[in-house]
Amino acid sequence: LSNGWMVAGPKGAGKATLAYRLARGILDPEGLGAGAGLHMDPKARTFRLVAARGHPDLFVAEKSFDDKNERYATEITVETIRELSSFLSKTAAFGGWRVAIVDAADELNRNAANALLKSLEEPPQRTLVLLVANEPGRLLPTIRSRCRRIDLKPLPDAEIASLLSAEAGLDPAGAAAIASVARGRPGYALALGIVFPFLFKYRHDP
């Protein structure tokens, strides 16, 4: 297993969802249901710990929130990546792997990118770094060269519509309307179907 993986694709394509599923599977392979791919029961301990950001062997590097100005920072800083590097150097609390997710890697500033490169060049054993990348071309070529890459392609409209019907309670007409503008991005489609249902008049009554 390569120590560095890049999950690339447009915003809303499901990159973070896949990264977290991979993380859960690496942290607790026995928790994955037989024949269920990367699916893990939401009641499982690992699932709950990851969802609560409380798993000791998972580190998530992302833009920090400025409480004073009530907004997120514009980039991931070198201090955050130094914390990531320190985390990777420690012994796994549960005796298995240590996993870090960088979401999104194209939001790293220059110093942070250089610090991350060092961790990818000399990774400790049994560590995995998952880079979520909306625009892989913005990353340092040396970072890209040290990662295996997974590209998420757009899904067919029919699959998007099916997802919306199952997850957002939309009838076929509403699901098809949103799928037609989602451009194959399931996360974006769900945001339209759940957060902005008033844009469409096809949602089922509660």
Side-chain angles (χ1 to χ4, degrees), residues 143-159:
I143 287 181
R144 297 199 303 269
S145 68
R146 283 167 174 77
C147 294
R148 300 289 297 274
R149 180 165 166 169
I150 302 173
D151 285 289
L152 299 191
K153 305 297 184 182
L155 294 177
D157 285 358
E159 290 190 31

Side-chain angles (χ1 to χ4, degrees), residues 14-105:
K15 301 182 299 301
T17 298
L18 176 58
Y20 277 96
R21 288 192 174 210
L22 289 170
R24 292 196 301 258
I26 290 294
L27 293 170
D28 183 15
E30 294 182 359
L32 299 176
L38 293 174
H39 176 74
M40 181 176 289
D41 188 337
K43 296 180 181 179
R45 180 190 184 192
T46 296
F47 188 104
R48 290 185 287 105
L49 284 173
V50 170
R53 298 292 184 95
H55 198 293
D57 295 326
L58 175 65
F59 184 94
V60 179
E62 56 191 354
K63 295 184 295 187
S64 60
F65 186 77
D66 186 339
D67 292 320
K68 182 178 180 180
N69 295 315
E70 298 185 345
R71 64 184 180 185
Y72 282 95
T74 58
E75 57 191 13
I76 299 175
T77 64
V78 66
E79 288 78 16
T80 298
I81 300 305
R82 285 172 179 164
E83 290 180 25
L84 181 155
S85 299
S86 175
F87 160 81
L88 293 177
S89 68
K90 297 177 181 177
T91 302
F94 291 164
W97 285 67
R98 285 147 292 160
V99 180
I101 297 174
V102 182
D103 185 13

Side-chain angles (χ1 to χ4, degrees), residues 21 38 44 64 100 117 123 134 152 172 180 183 186 194:
R21 288 192 174 210
L38 293 174
S64 60
L117 179 59
N134 301 311
L152 299 191
S180 67
R183 297 182 180 178
I194 296 175

Side-chain angles (χ1 to χ4, degrees), residues 160-179 189-194 196-198 200-205:
I160 296 290
S162 177
L163 173 69
L164 288 167
S165 295
E167 299 293 334
L170 296 175
D171 68 11
I178 294 177
L190 284 171
L192 289 177
I194 296 175
F196 302 113
F198 58 86
F200 304 91
K201 298 180 180 180
Y202 307 104
R203 188 175 176 84
H204 289 309
D205 292 331

